[in-house]
Amino acid sequence: MKKLFLLVSLIVCFTTLAQKKTTFNKKRIVEASCGQCQFGMEGNGCDLAVRIDGKAYFVEGTDIDKHGDAHAEDGFCETIRKAEVIGTIKDTVFVVTHFKLLPKKH
């Protein structure tokens, strides 16, 4: 019974450690754009992504179409914008709890 308990405990610990998770509790300014069109990420269609510390992550919790026309001149498929975010990186996805697109500077 002790061996079984130890084995289960080790599996739970390794599973927890294997999930890469980084949380940003304070607002942070990041680059936001279409992952496929601007960041060169693999995928079908156009999906919102953010670039944090040089690494791009698809976004979960908001959608590319909730922030204007993605194919407009200033849209995510045409340009990289700045956004204020709060959220958590879970493996390869940024789970957003706050996303505010910042005005484009001319």
Side-chain angles (χ1 to χ4, degrees):
M1 188 67 173
K2 281 185 178 182
K3 289 182 182 181
L4 179 62
F5 178 73
L6 179 62
L7 180 62
V8 170
S9 296
L10 286 173
I11 291 171
V12 169
C13 287
F14 284 124
T15 303
T16 303
L17 291 175
Q19 293 178 350
K20 185 177 180 184
K21 186 175 171 184
T22 304
T23 301
F24 301 103
N25 293 321
K26 294 182 181 179
K27 293 176 184 172
R28 182 172 179 165
I29 306 300
V30 300
E31 294 179 310
S33 197
C34 175
Q36 292 87 342
C37 296
Q38 295 294 320
F39 294 151
M41 300 171 75
E42 295 288 325
N44 298 321
C46 297
D47 298 299
L48 183 59
V50 293
R51 191 159 45 196
I52 301 171
D53 297 330
K55 185 164 183 195
Y57 302 90
F58 283 117
V59 173
E60 186 177 294
T62 190
D63 187 79
I64 197 166
D65 295 319
K66 290 184 179 178
H67 306 282
D69 180 359
H71 295 99
E73 184 178 314
D74 63 345
F76 287 128
C77 293
E78 303 299 324
T79 188
I80 298 172
R81 302 279 304 269
K82 297 287 185 184
E84 179 183 271
V85 299
I86 298 174
T88 302
I89 297 171
K90 290 186 181 176
D91 295 319
T92 61
V93 176
F94 184 72
V95 181
V96 68
T97 56
H98 169 80
F99 186 97
K100 178 182 176 187
L101 185 61
L102 299 178
K104 187 175 179 182
K105 293 184 180 181
H106 298 284

